[in-house]
Amino acid sequence: MNAYQLLFNVTVEHRYFTDHACKSLVFAPTHETVRSLNRPGLLWRTAVNRLSVFFEADKLDRLRMYAEDKLTMTFKVFSNDANFFLYTAPAGQTPDALLFFDNLQPTRDATGRYLLHRDPFVSENDYEDLNSERVRYCLESRDYHVSPCFVIQFTIHNDSPLLSLEQDAGDTRIFFISFASNRTFWKYYLMGDLYRRSLYIKDLDSNVAFEEIGEVVLPESRMAKILQSMQAIEMQERPPQRLQLKESQNPRDKILINRLPNASVSHMHSDWVDGKMESISEIYVN
């Protein structure tokens, strides 16, 4: 069996996840890419958050021949997690644009790694108009109904450093896409007997402050006192916050709930905060 060598790989990171490995991704080559992979005998493999393409070391000349006419490989990346764009920054899918990453101008981060985006994390600068030629070329009609989360495109020229057998070129074959987490304001609805008490939330790590912002009538005429964080909090798969609900009393305040429930990605909406539309995580406590 011929020996295969790495041509390139792309690792997708996400700060939402505890290990920063973006979960639930599905990498799908376009039909044209399948043909492009087969002609020079390339192999592609995927792991949880990584796409890898390999070439046969003893057929490098054949690969260079195809690269003379510019060898392009495009992969659409979907997520099986319906909440992907809820916990991802920039937040929300854009109806007329798509996140698009390529290897034409990789950026080196502070640690020397190659990123497929300009900023330290994926940003609004990485969106490309759906009507652009290269986006239209890689999308099928069904992709306009269930859109990929993003697209990865690699273009190989015959003078590309990827077409080398030098072992010290290893780092130049490894690329990253790094997503930041969305941030939300945590809004606690304190119901039942809690509504009538003089309450406040204490962060045991002294990172987040909360303020009382009013009262609200919930369905079935239930009253609730609202306490909301004064700053947006980074969303995480396992939030580390340690929040206590306390009641102001003399001579010493009383702990009512030693650990308040943390925010969940499944209870979010958008609302105005200080004149700006923000993401809100709602937590109900009875």
Side-chain angles (χ1 to χ4, degrees):
M1 181 176 179
N2 293 331
Y4 279 85
Q5 182 169 311
L6 179 68
L7 181 61
F8 67 84
N9 72 29
V10 181
T11 299
V12 185
E13 301 176 328
H14 204 304
R15 288 186 58 85
Y16 173 77
F17 297 100
T18 304
D19 60 0
H20 292 179
C22 193
K23 309 289 197 307
S24 303
L25 298 180
V26 178
F27 298 87
T30 63
H31 293 308
E32 181 59 34
T33 295
V34 172
R35 290 191 287 270
S36 296
L37 290 166
N38 289 336
R39 285 195 292 264
L42 300 176
L43 292 178
W44 68 283
R45 295 289 184 267
T46 61
V48 174
N49 66 323
R50 180 175 296 130
L51 165 70
S52 301
V53 175
F54 301 88
F55 67 95
E56 291 183 84
D58 63 353
K59 294 184 179 178
L60 183 58
D61 289 342
R62 183 181 179 187
L63 178 57
R64 286 197 176 110
M65 179 186 69
Y66 282 100
E68 287 179 0
D69 295 324
K70 191 176 69 171
L71 181 62
T72 300
M73 290 162 279
T74 306
F75 295 83
K76 296 173 288 188
V77 186
F78 300 85
S79 176
N80 286 328
D81 186 348
N83 293 322
F84 178 82
F85 278 105
L86 293 179
Y87 55 72
T88 298
Q93 280 182 294
T94 303
D96 56 355
L98 183 66
L99 288 170
F100 200 104
F101 307 102
D102 62 43
N103 68 320
L104 298 181
Q105 291 183 310
T107 303
R108 300 198 81 164
D109 68 6
T111 64
R113 306 184 313 167
Y114 287 96
L115 305 177
L116 295 184
H117 40 87
R118 183 191 318 168
D119 301 309
F121 295 101
V122 174
S123 71
E124 294 179 353
N125 295 325
D126 300 303
Y127 278 100
E128 182 148 344
D129 195 294
L130 283 180
N131 291 320
S132 72
E133 182 177 353
R134 64 177 186 168
V135 170
R136 287 190 289 108
Y137 183 75
C138 72
L139 295 184
E140 303 173 55
S141 58
R142 62 183 179 181
D143 295 326
Y144 291 92
H145 300 284
V146 180
S147 176
C149 295
F150 55 95
V151 170
I152 299 172
Q153 185 174 88
F154 265 70
T155 301
I156 312 294
H157 299 276
N158 60 352
D159 59 350
S160 170
L162 297 179
L163 299 180
S164 169
L165 293 176
E166 298 295 331
Q167 293 301 314
D168 59 3
D171 288 348
T172 64
R173 302 182 186 281
I174 299 173
F175 301 86
F176 293 85
I177 296 171
S178 190
F179 285 97
S181 293
N182 189 15
R183 291 177 176 269
T184 70
F185 286 83
W186 290 18
K187 180 185 285 188
Y188 283 89
Y189 293 83
L190 307 175
M191 304 177 294
D193 181 58
L194 296 175
Y195 158 72
R196 300 178 179 87
R197 300 192 180 190
S198 178
L199 304 175
Y200 67 95
I201 293 174
K202 178 178 176 58
D203 178 6
L204 297 180
D205 299 309
S206 301
N207 293 323
V208 184
F210 287 79
E211 61 180 343
E212 183 176 333
I213 63 170
E215 301 173 350
V216 67
V217 180
L218 299 173
E220 301 178 2
S221 299
R222 293 176 298 169
M223 296 297 298
K225 185 191 300 287
I226 303 175
L227 272 64
Q228 182 171 287
S229 64
M230 297 179 68
Q231 67 260 43
I233 301 170
E234 182 182 40
M235 300 183 70
Q236 292 181 277
E237 185 180 25
R238 297 176 183 173
Q241 282 73 21
R242 301 184 302 151
L243 307 177
Q244 284 183 340
L245 183 64
K246 303 187 76 171
E247 181 178 20
S248 298
Q249 289 186 351
N250 286 322
R252 181 179 298 176
D253 293 350
K254 180 181 180 181
I255 299 174
L256 298 183
I257 300 178
N258 194 43
R259 289 291 187 276
L260 281 167
N262 289 325
S264 167
V265 70
S266 59
H267 294 92
M268 289 177 56
H269 73 285
S270 296
D271 205 346
W272 295 97
V273 177
D274 296 331
K276 184 180 178 181
M277 187 63 69
E278 301 282 3
S279 296
I280 307 292
S281 292
E282 295 182 325
I283 307 117
Y284 293 84
V285 180
N286 200 339

